[in-house]
């Protein structure tokens, strides 16, 4: 069943031009965009976290916060992006410090942003690291200031 709030959010995202070819499906907005600082085109999923019980309640959607969150991650400065990459690489390097390393490529050079999930107060970025973690995805949650909140390596 179509959601009027999701349709409203979709219209706002279309008008903003932030995402290429956005569509609403399964309670999310999907599109593609470029994170300039990363030099990467990523899939962007916008999750308004709508409560099905309150589907017609305008208070259940903070479109302004979601649009700001999309704009913030897509326009992240190169300095901030590099700080995120450094923190991810340092954290993972520390965690696998005793493990034998087959691939000598620096993880910083191997990380490729592939997708972003945007919430009003957080962003989840999925990275591939095809040389060092070919069978895994690296998930990094950023808070609303784009500071790293958590890092997780997951099997595909």
């Amino acid at each position: 069943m179509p959601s009027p709030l999701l349709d409203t959010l979709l219209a706002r995202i279309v008008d903003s031009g932030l995402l290429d070819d956005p569509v609403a499906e399964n309670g999310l907005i999907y599109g593609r965009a470029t994170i300039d600082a990363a030099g990467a085109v990523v899939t962007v999923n916008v999750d308004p976290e709508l409560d099905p019980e309150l589907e017609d309640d305008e208070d259940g959607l903070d479109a302004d916060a979601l649009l700001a969150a999309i704009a913030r991650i897509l326009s992240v400065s190169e300095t901030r992006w590099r700080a995120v990459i450094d923190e991810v690489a340092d954290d993972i390097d520390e965690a696998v410090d005793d493990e034998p390393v087959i691939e000598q490529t620096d993880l910083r050079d191997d990380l490729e942003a592939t997708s972003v999930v945007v919430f009003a107060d957080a962003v989840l970025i999925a990275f591939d690291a095809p040389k060092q973690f070919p069978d895994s995805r690296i998930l990094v949650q950023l808070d609303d200031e784009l500071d790293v909140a958590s890092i997780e390596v997951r099997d595909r």
Side-chain angles (χ1 to χ4, degrees):
M1 176 169 135
S3 163
L5 290 179
L6 197 60
D7 291 342
T8 298
L9 178 59
L10 177 61
R12 295 271 315 268
I13 290 172
V14 168
D15 290 346
S16 75
L18 289 168
L19 302 183
D20 295 333
D21 304 319
V23 296
E25 192 174 285
N26 300 323
L28 301 172
I29 308 282
Y30 300 93
R32 296 195 54 77
T34 301
I35 301 176
D36 288 329
V41 175
V42 296
T43 300
V44 179
N45 302 335
V46 181
D47 188 347
E49 301 179 284
L50 296 175
D51 184 344
E53 303 290 317
L54 305 171
E55 200 151 307
D56 294 323
D57 181 6
E58 289 292 329
D59 294 333
L61 173 67
D62 191 347
D64 292 336
L66 286 163
L67 287 167
I70 297 166
R72 195 167 36 252
I73 189 60
L74 296 179
S75 66
V76 63
S77 71
E78 287 187 32
T79 302
R80 182 72 222 130
W81 183 257
R82 179 56 45 198
V84 168
I85 296 300
D86 286 344
E87 187 170 344
V88 169
D90 290 345
D91 190 69
I92 291 173
D93 285 344
E94 275 182 31
V96 297
D97 193 29
D98 296 334
E99 299 294 319
V101 176
I102 296 169
E103 179 57 51
Q104 295 302 317
T105 300
D106 187 330
L107 183 56
R108 288 164 184 77
D109 298 330
D110 196 26
L111 288 171
E112 300 170 4
T114 59
S115 66
V116 173
V117 180
V118 177
F119 303 94
D121 60 354
V123 173
L124 184 65
I125 304 173
F127 290 93
D128 283 343
K131 293 178 181 160
Q132 289 204 12
F133 295 95
D135 300 324
S136 303
R137 291 172 48 104
I138 299 167
L139 302 177
V140 178
Q141 183 174 337
L142 306 178
D143 63 19
D144 59 353
E145 298 295 320
L146 300 181
D147 291 324
V148 174
S150 68
I151 301 168
E152 183 179 348
V153 178
R154 280 195 185 164
D155 291 337
R156 289 195 182 275

